[in-house]
Amino acid sequence: FPFLFLLSLSLSLSSRGEVSEDDARRNALRPGHAAFSRMRDVSARCVDVAVIVVAADDGVMPQTAEALDVARDRGAAIVVCATKWDLVAPSARAARLGALRAELLETCGLLTEADGGDAPLVAVSARAREGLDDLRETLAALAETLDLRADPDARAAGHVLD
C-alpha cells in the first residue's frame, strides 16, 4: 500500500504539472523524491512542533536537512530525536551525541540546546525502550513553553499525516 500511495501522490503531482509523469513514476521508487518533499511540506503546515528523526547509526541525511528547512520555513519549533540509540555502544554514546550535534550544525545550521541553541536533542531507542520518557517530557515542556493549548469547548479538528 505505501508504494501505491506514493505512486498515486506522485502521479497526482504530475497531473497538476508539478512534476512530469515520467519523473513521478521514476521518483516514486526513490527516497527523498518529489512526493516525499510534497508530504513534508503539507505536513509542516499543520504542526506547531516538528520532531526531526535522525538515526544514530546513519547520522544527518539529505532528507534531514530538507525536513529542517521545511520546519523552519513554517515557523515550527524543532526537536531532534536521535533514534536507534541501542546500536551505539554505551561507552561511545557521549561521543556520538557530540558528533550528531556537530553534524546538525555543519550540515543544517542547527544549534542544539546543548550548544546554546533552541532545539532539544533527545536520544531514544524504541527497541530498548530507552529515552521515550525523555522525549515525552521534552515535548510536554516545549508545549508548555509555547503555550500550546486547545479550547475544550471548541469542535475538535485533526489532520492525517503520513
Side-chain angles (χ1 to χ4, degrees):
F1 288 117
F3 170 74
L4 293 175
F5 170 75
L6 292 175
L7 182 58
S8 161
L9 181 59
S10 290
L11 292 176
S12 169
L13 292 173
S14 72
S15 70
R16 294 196 313 255
E18 294 182 32
V19 295
S20 74
E21 191 169 328
D22 286 341
D23 284 343
R25 283 196 182 98
R26 189 171 34 258
N27 287 340
L29 302 174
R30 290 198 317 250
H33 61 77
F36 280 122
S37 296
R38 178 83 172 131
M39 283 189 293
R40 283 185 197 102
D41 186 53
V42 169
S43 298
R45 291 182 202 163
C46 17
V47 299
D48 295 302
V49 177
V51 177
I52 306 297
V53 178
V54 179
D57 57 340
D58 287 337
V60 176
M61 305 294 280
Q63 303 90 303
T64 308
E66 182 182 345
L68 279 166
D69 288 344
V70 170
R72 285 178 178 143
D73 288 348
R74 297 292 179 195
I78 296 170
V79 174
V80 179
C81 178
T83 62
K84 299 183 181 181
W85 207 240
D86 56 304
L87 299 179
V88 179
S91 61
R93 288 183 176 182
R96 184 63 189 132
L97 204 56
L100 279 175
R101 291 191 343 249
E103 210 177 337
L104 285 163
L105 181 58
E106 276 181 38
T107 309
C108 308
L110 182 73
L111 200 59
T112 63
E113 282 182 339
D115 298 313
D118 294 328
L121 172 60
V122 182
V124 302
S125 168
R127 179 178 294 164
R129 315 245 343 121
E130 296 174 356
L132 299 174
D133 288 336
D134 294 338
L135 179 60
R136 196 172 312 131
E137 290 169 12
T138 299
L139 292 171
L142 190 55
E144 184 71 28
T145 301
L146 296 173
D147 196 31
L148 300 178
R149 307 244 182 256
D151 180 353
D153 297 323
R155 284 185 58 115
H159 302 276
V160 177
L161 306 177
D162 287 305

